[in-house]
Amino acid sequence: HADAAMNHAKESGRNNVQFFEPGMTLAAAKCSRLENRLRAAIESDGLSLFYQPKVSVFSGDIVGVEALLRWYDEELGNVPPDEIIPIAEDTGLILPIGEWVLRTACRQSQAWQAQGYPLLMMAVNLSAIQLNNKNFVQVVKRVLEETQFPPEYLELELTESAIMQNPDRASMILRRLRELGIALSIDDFGTGYSNLAQLKRFPIDRLKIDRSFTSGVMTDVQDAAIFRAVVAMAHSLNLEIVAEGVETLEQLAFVRDLKGQQYQGYLCSKALSPEDFQVFLDSRVRTEVEPSQT
Ligand code: C2E
Ligand code: MG
Ligand code: MG
Ligand code: MG
């Protein structure tokens, strides 16, 4: 079907919205249009990565960065990753895209280091499809070799559901990744159906508590209670905590009181283009140096 859609799109010429075939629902037509545009974007370097800092709760230092997929399409405008990823997963495009993300993130981190910035931990999001692909560990090894990126500085983020699709296989793959020195974290923790007892068998380093809990900690007693319980259990299992989506100083103070180690969120910075991320790093150095000079 994907190839048929490709040919159909080609025959009807560029800029011609001829994806709507008889019998297609509007949703299906929209999907096939997205898919066609996405294939074109992959071939024409139309995808890019933005980078969001990970911050130490205690020191305020930037301790890492998460690579987040961005796509600007001339016809569709900005397409958010929440729309790209499901289509990429349905079409298998997630494999080439995922490999591209990994390679681009490693290269970017190396490029920053070459420009004199400290080497930062680089986190990349993984789809279940990548994890379940039989070549996945090889792909990761190859990218690390090609880019000469130190595995200890790579972190892979997986959701609970990605791991729980095939827990036995996931456990084996994660072990092999861990043996390479790669750090592993559970993304969006709290939104899936797993619990910490189940996660115990996976070689996980960090839990990223989902933004939906962080955003409620000051206003919703249940969100605050869940947040506290997750942190307490994570501490006892020696897992680090990353609070996602910290937007206010009050939320940060909440995380600090619980001794959560890291946070991400608009309070520090949204995801930035590579150029803007550099400007951001420069400005941090300046503000950190200024007080001691006066
Ligand atoms: P995620 O991995 O949980 O990433 C965090 C998302 O929350 C990002 O959205 C980020 O921009 C947003 N965010 C961070 N801090 C704040 C905040 O303080 N407030 C608010 N409102 N939002 C905040 P984004 O970039 O739209 O990505 C959405 C999701 O798409 C990601 O969630 C991840 O699951 C997926 N994704 C992004 N890039 C990739 C990729 O390269 N591969 C895969 N497989 N998935 C990706
Ligand atoms: Mg993530
Ligand atoms: Mg997340
Ligand atoms: Mg998310």
Side-chain angles (χ1 to χ4, degrees):
H1 166 73
D3 287 346
M6 277 288 262
N7 290 334
H8 187 253
K10 273 183 207 144
E11 276 158 25
S12 38
R14 274 188 54 79
N15 293 335
N16 201 344
V17 191
Q18 284 297 321
F19 304 109
F20 198 83
E21 293 167 39
M24 253 186 173
T25 64
L26 198 58
K30 196 190 169 205
C31 272
S32 117
R33 178 156 184 247
L34 262 177
E35 179 188 339
N36 286 311
R37 302 296 302 172
L38 187 54
R39 284 184 193 277
I42 292 168
E43 273 158 37
S44 64
D45 289 331
L47 301 178
S48 63
L49 293 181
F50 271 36
Y51 299 89
Q52 187 181 37
K54 297 194 174 191
V55 193
S56 160
V57 169
F58 300 107
S59 66
D61 289 345
I62 306 303
V63 289
V65 41
E66 177 176 3
L68 293 157
L69 189 61
R70 294 293 180 264
W71 175 27
Y72 175 77
D73 178 87
E74 274 175 21
E75 287 177 24
L76 304 166
N78 282 314
V79 186
D82 289 329
E83 283 179 38
I84 306 169
I85 300 299
I87 288 180
E89 288 180 334
D90 286 348
T91 54
L93 290 173
I94 193 67
L95 292 176
I97 291 176
E99 184 172 342
W100 176 86
V101 169
L102 194 60
R103 182 175 292 111
T104 305
C106 290
R107 279 196 189 141
Q108 181 61 66
S109 185
Q110 296 283 60
W112 280 325
Q113 199 197 14
Q115 289 173 63
Y117 297 95
L119 186 57
L120 293 173
M121 196 77 186
M122 177 61 76
V124 169
N125 293 285
L126 287 189
S127 150
I129 310 256
Q130 289 172 276
L131 188 68
N132 291 321
N133 179 264
K134 62 173 169 24
N135 294 325
F136 183 63
V137 177
Q138 264 170 278
V139 168
V140 173
K141 276 189 185 168
R142 178 162 21 96
V143 170
L144 289 172
E145 270 162 28
E146 268 175 33
T147 57
Q148 293 289 300
F149 192 75
E152 297 75 23
Y153 282 84
L154 179 63
E155 176 171 355
L156 298 176
E157 299 191 0
L158 294 134
T159 59
E160 300 157 79
S161 57
I163 288 179
M164 292 305 165
Q165 265 186 25
N166 189 344
D168 292 334
R169 194 190 143 73
S171 152
M172 182 197 63
I173 300 296
L174 295 187
R175 225 159 284 283
R176 287 174 64 194
L177 294 169
R178 198 70 197 79
E179 277 162 16
L180 295 175
I182 297 168
L184 301 169
S185 53
I186 302 291
D187 208 344
D188 305 342
F189 187 77
T191 59
Y193 296 101
S194 65
N195 55 49
L196 283 175
Q198 281 173 301
L199 286 178
K200 189 178 66 173
R201 56 188 282 223
F202 301 100
I204 300 299
D205 301 279
R206 282 184 197 96
L207 289 186
K208 301 186 67 176
I209 303 184
D210 192 67
R211 172 157 59 87
S212 59
F213 301 109
T214 310
S215 67
V217 291
M218 302 314 294
T219 49
D220 183 318
V221 284
Q222 293 186 343
D223 283 343
I226 292 168
F227 201 106
R228 274 195 208 93
V230 171
V231 174
M233 285 188 285
H235 280 329
S236 64
L237 291 171
N238 266 326
L239 298 173
E240 281 194 4
I241 284 290
V242 183
E244 295 191 313
V246 172
E247 295 185 352
T248 69
L249 284 169
E250 291 75 19
Q251 291 165 354
L252 177 59
F254 181 92
V255 179
R256 186 184 292 124
D257 288 344
L258 295 175
K259 302 198 163 39
Q261 286 90 346
Q262 297 181 15
Y263 81 93
Q264 284 179 268
Y266 295 172
L267 178 64
C268 175
S269 172
K270 60 181 186 184
L272 302 167
S273 69
E275 299 75 28
D276 288 346
F277 191 79
Q278 242 169 275
V279 172
F280 167 83
L281 286 177
D282 291 341
S283 73
R284 302 272 304 185
V285 172
R286 246 177 273 127
T287 46
E288 273 156 28
V289 167
E290 258 166 24
S292 56
Q293 287 179 335
T294 51

